[in-house]
Amino acid sequence: MTMPPDLRYAAEHAKGFMPSGEGLALFHAALKYGGQGPICEIGTYCGKSAIYLGAAARQTGSVVITVDHHRGSEEIQPGWAHHDPTLVDPRFGKMDSLPAFRTAIAAAGLEDEVIAVVGQSGRVAGLWNTPLALLFIDGGHSEEPVTADYEGWAPHVMEGGALVFHDIYPDPSGGGQAPYRVYLRALSSGAFKEVGGEGSLRVLERVGPGI
């Protein structure tokens, strides 16, 4: 199956940092695994990757739960390279990507497929008990948040389901190393094997216990 042109256009023009090739790889991973159950995304930002996932959810009859506090990860705060001043709420002086996300998902026509959960990933994970067909980890990229996302959410990936990481850079000159270290931890656990990837995106399949 291919991604519908209107949804691909919506994804490519939404705010975010995912290259088109990686987004399409995410879409195809969600197509492959989404029919087994719900899809969960950690790190929503403005909805770019949620559109890729939502397009697959529509075709597989699945649903996407996307979790984010919408106050921005470290790398998009003021003074950092990826900061977008248009996302600052002047009333509170804080980042707020939720309005941009809602606009992007509504414009794409995916409000039935994509469900936003607004809150800290770890707090939400502590309440979660539904097996996941696919988990996409793309939240905070420093050591503490990416480790917490893995520890809180990876145990919920069903056997035969997928764990997908973004921003995996084996060479430190390419980017931060925290997601790469957690990706290696997942592989060394014996619970996952790598089955695909594109650019900095890595797709792992759960093959057993051991997380």
Side-chain angles (χ1 to χ4, degrees):
M1 297 182 187
T2 59
M3 188 170 181
D6 60 327
L7 292 180
R8 181 170 177 175
Y9 179 90
E12 291 178 349
H13 288 80
K15 283 181 184 288
F17 309 105
M18 177 172 284
S20 177
E22 295 179 7
L24 291 174
L26 179 64
F27 165 75
H28 286 293
L31 273 184
K32 180 178 179 180
Y33 296 98
Q36 302 177 57
I39 296 163
C40 183
E41 172 184 52
I42 309 303
T44 309
Y45 192 46
C46 297
K48 190 179 194 73
S49 53
I51 297 173
Y52 287 109
L53 293 170
R58 175 176 290 174
Q59 294 191 34
T60 60
S62 186
V63 65
V64 179
I65 298 91
T66 182
V67 181
D68 200 316
H69 49 65
H70 286 280
R71 293 304 188 191
S73 55
E74 181 182 72
E75 59 268 22
I76 63 172
Q77 297 302 322
W80 289 72
H82 296 299
H83 177 63
D84 183 345
T86 68
L87 298 178
V88 175
D89 186 335
R91 297 170 297 176
F92 306 107
K94 295 180 179 181
M95 298 290 293
D96 187 1
S97 54
L98 183 59
F101 160 77
R102 295 206 65 179
T103 297
I105 295 303
L110 290 171
E111 290 182 302
D112 288 341
E113 287 80 15
V114 179
I115 300 170
V117 176
V118 181
Q120 294 284 349
S121 168
R123 298 292 298 273
V124 179
L127 302 172
W128 194 264
N129 58 16
T130 301
L132 298 171
L134 183 144
L135 170 65
F136 178 46
I137 295 181
D138 191 25
H141 288 64
S142 55
E143 202 76 39
E144 184 177 350
V146 71
T147 299
D149 290 342
Y150 173 73
E151 292 179 349
W153 290 97
H156 296 296
V157 177
M158 63 180 64
E159 288 200 29
L163 169 61
V164 183
F165 286 101
H166 194 218
D167 294 320
I168 301 301
Y169 299 107
D171 183 346
S173 67
Q177 293 294 284
Y180 179 60
R181 285 191 287 269
V182 175
Y183 151 81
L184 292 178
R185 176 181 169 185
L187 287 177
S188 66
S189 72
F192 297 96
K193 67 175 182 180
E194 187 164 335
V195 294
E198 173 68 29
S200 72
L201 193 83
R202 298 290 186 274
V203 181
L204 282 58
E205 185 173 294
R206 185 160 187 183
V207 293
I211 300 174

